[in-house]
Amino acid sequence: MVGFGLLITGPARNVWPLTVEDHVDEGFERIRTGPLTTLSYLGSEAGNTLTVIAVTLLSCVALLLIPRLPMWRQAVFLAVAVSLQALVFLVVTLSVDRNRPHVHRLDDSPPTSSYTSGHTGAATALYAGLAVLVLSRVRRPWRWPLAGLLLLVPLAVGVSRLYRGMHHPTDVIGGMANGALSLLIVGRALFTDGSVAAVPAQRTGPADTTAHAEEREPGSTVVIFNPTVTGAADREKLRRILEQHGHRAPEFIETTADDPGTGQASGAVRDGAELVVVCGGDGTVRAAADALAGSGVPLVVVPCGTGNLLARNLGLPLTPTTALDTALSGTPHRIDLGRIEGDGLAPTHFAAMSGAGLDAAMLEHTDDRAKSAVGWLAYVLATVGTLRTPRMRLTVRLDDAPVLHRTARMVLLANVGTVQGGLTLLPAARPDDGLLDLLILDPRGPGGWMRALGILMRGRNARPRTVETLVPEGTGTKGVPVEFFTFRRAELTFAVPQSRELDGDPVSHGRRLTAEVGPGALTVLLPTREK
């Protein structure tokens, strides 16, 4: 910000379009009218220091008091972003001395430099920050119009400051950049956490999230739902479908940030539930499956998340109500689960995929706001920014075979093979074959990436290697961009700590992953296949 300011006040001041900035301010001066001046006053006041402080405080208090659970992280996000842009504004205005436009100014000139526009920067951080929270937390159809109106406020403030002769156009642009960058920096710091605990501790005793366990009767149906993706209207639709299939008075229990489904599912099994329905993404399904493993209690997967990998691979519809109706009309099937542990990763299960490297780094950098806005395409956008993830060195031991030495951009341990967009990453992966599959991706240079993409695109014809075909080696297979293996137990050891993920959720970085298959560990209701 300082460098840009020194550029426009120094070497670039006589370069177009900076040479016509004064004409813009003079043009606004010529079109001034009484009504427009009043509107510009209102627009300017929306970014005034006192207004911004008051709206920020009220918004933070509302985030803490109005929701059922206080939104501490969202409140901190808004407060810190507004504070950060103010700090940056002070540093910039002390470093860059720029006179205000040579036109009649409608406001008193503050002692600060014209660059940047403090009103515009504050308005961008505040109102665009509120728009981000609306898009990420609200599930109503009116969230888009509301967010659009909030995003128009900084533009109105910027135009008002130009109209009132207080800033050059580049001052306003600089203010918007300051506010936007402050939001980006604080958002990534608060909402992209690469060290999230992998498995929350299961609650027992009075704090258990199965709040109505004492009233639950044996043979009941329990619906575990993620409240961020399953609204009240959605739950009512699911309730009606359950009752149509004879599941009377189903009990709905929501997940929490501390317990994403494991404690709720454990309580349901303990209290004799005959059916557990899980509404959420892969993380919610994984947490519930971990508790249901080996219990024999049937699970119904209702996809409500962004990836929904398990639902896709089980052939379930991706519309929640259709998925529930179809599954309840089907029959029980036993599928495998992967049991995984590592340094800093307590033993748990995964239902779809786990891995390290590029895939995990991509998940760490996927923005929740982008997921809310564009769905699984947010993963694609995040992948572009993580392609430069360093190659890792690792050793791989599959079952009782010799140790393999490899370099890789990414490793995936999988129970299923297809991801978003219908791309099959692991051609032999089946959720009920009693095996897990391993993908080692190690392309080198543009040619290697093209070869890897070609192999993955025609992956259904690729055959994985089994432990019987492996031989001892020292340096690995050079020049092979993609390798496939099947196994029952795998031990992966990395030379340095790596990003790791578990069914689409980043977990703590570490140097070790040990996975083994749990054949038929989970019972799932699936649509009846026509022969």
Side-chain angles (χ1 to χ4, degrees):
M1 295 295 299
V2 171
F4 183 68
L6 295 176
L7 182 67
I8 63 177
T9 57
R13 65 178 180 274
N14 295 321
V15 178
W16 188 92
L18 298 179
T19 53
V20 300
E21 281 199 294
D22 288 340
H23 299 323
V24 175
D25 293 294
E26 292 166 0
F28 275 110
E29 185 181 29
R30 286 194 295 269
I31 65 170
R32 287 175 182 171
T33 64
L36 288 179
T37 299
T38 301
L39 288 175
S40 72
Y41 172 77
L42 296 175
S44 181
E45 286 298 299
N48 188 34
T49 300
L50 293 179
T51 304
V52 169
I53 292 175
V55 175
T56 302
L57 287 175
L58 289 174
S59 300
C60 291
V61 170
L63 288 168
L64 298 178
L65 298 182
I66 294 179
R68 181 179 301 178
L69 294 175
M71 296 185 181
W72 286 102
R73 186 171 294 194
Q74 286 73 20
V76 171
F77 162 71
L78 193 63
V80 174
V82 172
S83 301
L84 176 60
Q85 72 77 30
L87 177 61
V88 172
F89 164 74
L90 289 176
V91 172
V92 171
T93 195
L94 290 173
S95 305
V96 181
D97 185 17
R98 190 182 198 188
N99 294 325
R100 296 189 182 273
H102 298 296
V103 297
H104 175 64
R105 294 188 285 273
L106 299 180
D107 296 326
D108 294 332
S109 298
T112 54
S113 166
S114 179
Y115 176 85
T116 62
S117 171
H119 282 64
T120 308
T124 302
L126 172 58
Y127 300 107
L130 289 172
V132 166
L133 296 181
V134 167
L135 290 176
S136 63
R137 306 301 301 182
V138 177
R139 290 292 178 267
R140 301 297 182 183
W142 46 262
R143 65 177 181 150
W144 289 103
L146 178 57
L149 290 174
L150 288 168
L151 290 173
L152 287 177
V153 176
L155 295 176
V157 172
V159 172
S160 298
R161 299 302 286 170
L162 293 175
Y163 176 93
R164 301 181 74 79
M166 301 307 297
H167 292 286
H168 307 278
T170 46
D171 301 334
V172 171
I173 294 172
M176 290 183 176
N178 179 18
L181 289 170
S182 297
L183 286 174
L184 177 63
I185 292 169
V186 177
R188 291 185 73 84
L190 287 175
F191 299 132
T192 305
D193 187 356
S195 59
V196 179
V199 184
Q202 296 185 17
R203 294 186 177 185
T204 57
D208 198 305
T209 53
T210 53
H212 303 289
E214 296 178 358
E215 303 173 6
R216 186 180 300 138
E217 297 179 0
S220 62
T221 298
V222 175
V223 181
I224 300 170
F225 67 94
N226 184 335
T228 64
V229 293
T230 310
D234 300 320
R235 298 196 294 273
E236 186 56 35
K237 293 177 183 177
L238 297 176
R239 184 191 304 277
R240 288 199 296 267
I241 293 174
L242 284 165
E243 291 179 348
Q244 289 171 7
H245 285 268
H247 298 271
R248 304 298 179 188
E251 180 181 357
F252 283 75
I253 307 174
E254 68 179 46
T255 63
T256 66
D258 294 330
D259 192 340
T262 305
Q264 296 87 337
S266 295
V269 173
R270 183 177 62 246
D271 297 315
E274 70 171 7
L275 181 69
V276 174
V277 179
V278 177
C279 310
D282 287 311
T284 307
V285 173
R286 187 212 66 78
D290 185 45
L292 295 174
S295 69
V297 177
L299 167 69
V300 175
V301 178
V302 178
C304 298
T306 305
N308 302 314
L309 291 189
L310 185 61
R312 294 173 189 271
N313 283 270
L314 294 179
L316 289 168
L318 297 183
T319 303
T321 52
T322 307
L324 178 59
D325 185 53
T326 303
L328 292 176
S329 302
T331 54
H333 293 261
R334 297 176 71 88
I335 66 170
D336 307 330
L337 289 176
R339 187 178 185 275
I340 193 165
E341 60 181 302
D343 49 329
L345 177 62
T348 186
H349 290 89
F350 67 90
M353 297 179 181
S354 180
L358 179 64
D359 179 59
M362 174 268 292
L363 291 167
E364 285 181 357
H365 291 87
T366 300
D367 192 279
D368 288 338
R369 296 165 294 171
K371 288 168 62 176
S372 299
V374 299
W376 63 265
L377 287 176
Y379 295 131
V380 178
L381 298 176
T383 300
V384 175
T386 55
L387 287 178
R388 296 176 63 87
T389 299
R391 180 177 281 106
M392 53 189 172
R393 293 186 177 275
L394 71 153
T395 60
V396 181
R397 186 179 183 91
L398 302 179
D399 298 336
D400 296 323
V403 172
L404 305 177
H405 298 267
R406 291 291 189 267
T407 60
R409 296 285 187 184
M410 176 179 78
V411 293
L412 276 182
L413 303 159
N415 190 35
V416 298
T418 302
V419 296
Q420 294 90 344
L423 178 64
T424 300
L425 292 183
L426 296 106
R430 301 289 184 273
D432 56 357
D433 60 358
L435 295 169
L436 295 177
D437 287 66
L438 171 66
L439 164 69
I440 300 179
L441 179 69
D442 190 29
R444 297 172 183 268
W449 281 104
M450 293 299 293
R451 288 180 60 197
L453 182 60
I455 293 172
L456 294 175
M457 292 297 289
R458 59 178 184 272
R460 294 184 183 278
N461 299 320
R463 293 187 177 182
R465 300 171 66 186
T466 59
V467 294
E468 290 80 6
T469 66
L470 302 182
V471 295
E473 54 182 315
T475 59
T477 305
K478 293 185 178 180
V480 177
V482 183
E483 290 185 277
F484 304 103
F485 301 91
T486 59
F487 65 91
R488 291 179 176 83
R489 177 181 172 84
E491 299 177 19
L492 277 60
T493 304
F494 307 101
V496 297
Q498 298 293 331
S499 301
R500 301 182 296 184
E501 61 94 1
L502 194 62
D503 273 350
D505 288 332
V507 296
S508 59
H509 291 205
R511 293 187 54 200
R512 184 173 58 85
L513 284 175
T514 301
E516 60 182 323
V517 67
L522 184 66
T523 302
V524 183
L525 286 187
L526 296 178
T528 303
R529 300 282 192 269
E530 294 184 4
K531 295 184 179 181

PDB file of all heavy atoms in Angstrom, residues 58 170 238 413 456 524:
ATOM      1  N   LEU A  58     -22.178  -2.991  17.395  1.00  0.00           N
ATOM      2  CA  LEU A  58     -23.516  -3.583  17.400  1.00  0.00           C
ATOM      3  C   LEU A  58     -23.519  -4.944  16.704  1.00  0.00           C
ATOM      4  O   LEU A  58     -24.167  -5.890  17.166  1.00  0.00           O
ATOM      5  CB  LEU A  58     -24.509  -2.636  16.714  1.00  0.00           C
ATOM      6  CG  LEU A  58     -24.849  -1.351  17.491  1.00  0.00           C
ATOM      7  CD1 LEU A  58     -25.729  -0.439  16.638  1.00  0.00           C
ATOM      8  CD2 LEU A  58     -25.567  -1.695  18.792  1.00  0.00           C
ATOM      9  N   THR A 170      -7.698   7.336  -7.211  1.00  0.00           N
ATOM     10  CA  THR A 170      -6.762   6.309  -6.720  1.00  0.00           C
ATOM     11  C   THR A 170      -6.756   6.237  -5.197  1.00  0.00           C
ATOM     12  O   THR A 170      -6.412   5.198  -4.623  1.00  0.00           O
ATOM     13  CB  THR A 170      -5.342   6.594  -7.238  1.00  0.00           C
ATOM     14  OG1 THR A 170      -5.037   7.979  -7.067  1.00  0.00           O
ATOM     15  CG2 THR A 170      -5.209   6.218  -8.699  1.00  0.00           C
ATOM     16  N   LEU A 238     -37.630 -33.754   5.847  1.00  0.00           N
ATOM     17  CA  LEU A 238     -37.074 -35.062   6.190  1.00  0.00           C
ATOM     18  C   LEU A 238     -37.972 -35.784   7.184  1.00  0.00           C
ATOM     19  O   LEU A 238     -38.148 -37.009   7.093  1.00  0.00           O
ATOM     20  CB  LEU A 238     -35.670 -34.887   6.773  1.00  0.00           C
ATOM     21  CG  LEU A 238     -34.615 -34.272   5.831  1.00  0.00           C
ATOM     22  CD1 LEU A 238     -33.302 -34.066   6.574  1.00  0.00           C
ATOM     23  CD2 LEU A 238     -34.405 -35.144   4.608  1.00  0.00           C
ATOM     24  N   LEU A 413      -5.209 -42.511   0.728  1.00  0.00           N
ATOM     25  CA  LEU A 413      -5.669 -43.804   1.218  1.00  0.00           C
ATOM     26  C   LEU A 413      -7.185 -43.789   1.074  1.00  0.00           C
ATOM     27  O   LEU A 413      -7.846 -42.922   1.642  1.00  0.00           O
ATOM     28  CB  LEU A 413      -5.265 -43.993   2.680  1.00  0.00           C
ATOM     29  CG  LEU A 413      -3.763 -43.868   2.973  1.00  0.00           C
ATOM     30  CD1 LEU A 413      -3.538 -43.550   4.438  1.00  0.00           C
ATOM     31  CD2 LEU A 413      -3.051 -45.154   2.586  1.00  0.00           C
ATOM     32  N   LEU A 456      -5.283 -40.452 -15.038  1.00  0.00           N
ATOM     33  CA  LEU A 456      -6.469 -40.343 -14.188  1.00  0.00           C
ATOM     34  C   LEU A 456      -7.746 -40.273 -15.009  1.00  0.00           C
ATOM     35  O   LEU A 456      -8.787 -40.797 -14.601  1.00  0.00           O
ATOM     36  CB  LEU A 456      -6.344 -39.106 -13.296  1.00  0.00           C
ATOM     37  CG  LEU A 456      -5.212 -39.144 -12.257  1.00  0.00           C
ATOM     38  CD1 LEU A 456      -5.114 -37.831 -11.513  1.00  0.00           C
ATOM     39  CD2 LEU A 456      -5.410 -40.302 -11.279  1.00  0.00           C
ATOM     40  N   VAL A 524     -25.194 -49.796   6.003  1.00  0.00           N
ATOM     41  CA  VAL A 524     -25.782 -48.620   5.361  1.00  0.00           C
ATOM     42  C   VAL A 524     -27.015 -49.051   4.578  1.00  0.00           C
ATOM     43  O   VAL A 524     -27.001 -50.092   3.903  1.00  0.00           O
ATOM     44  CB  VAL A 524     -24.771 -47.941   4.412  1.00  0.00           C
ATOM     45  CG1 VAL A 524     -25.368 -46.674   3.815  1.00  0.00           C
ATOM     46  CG2 VAL A 524     -23.481 -47.621   5.143  1.00  0.00           C
TER      47      VAL A 524
END
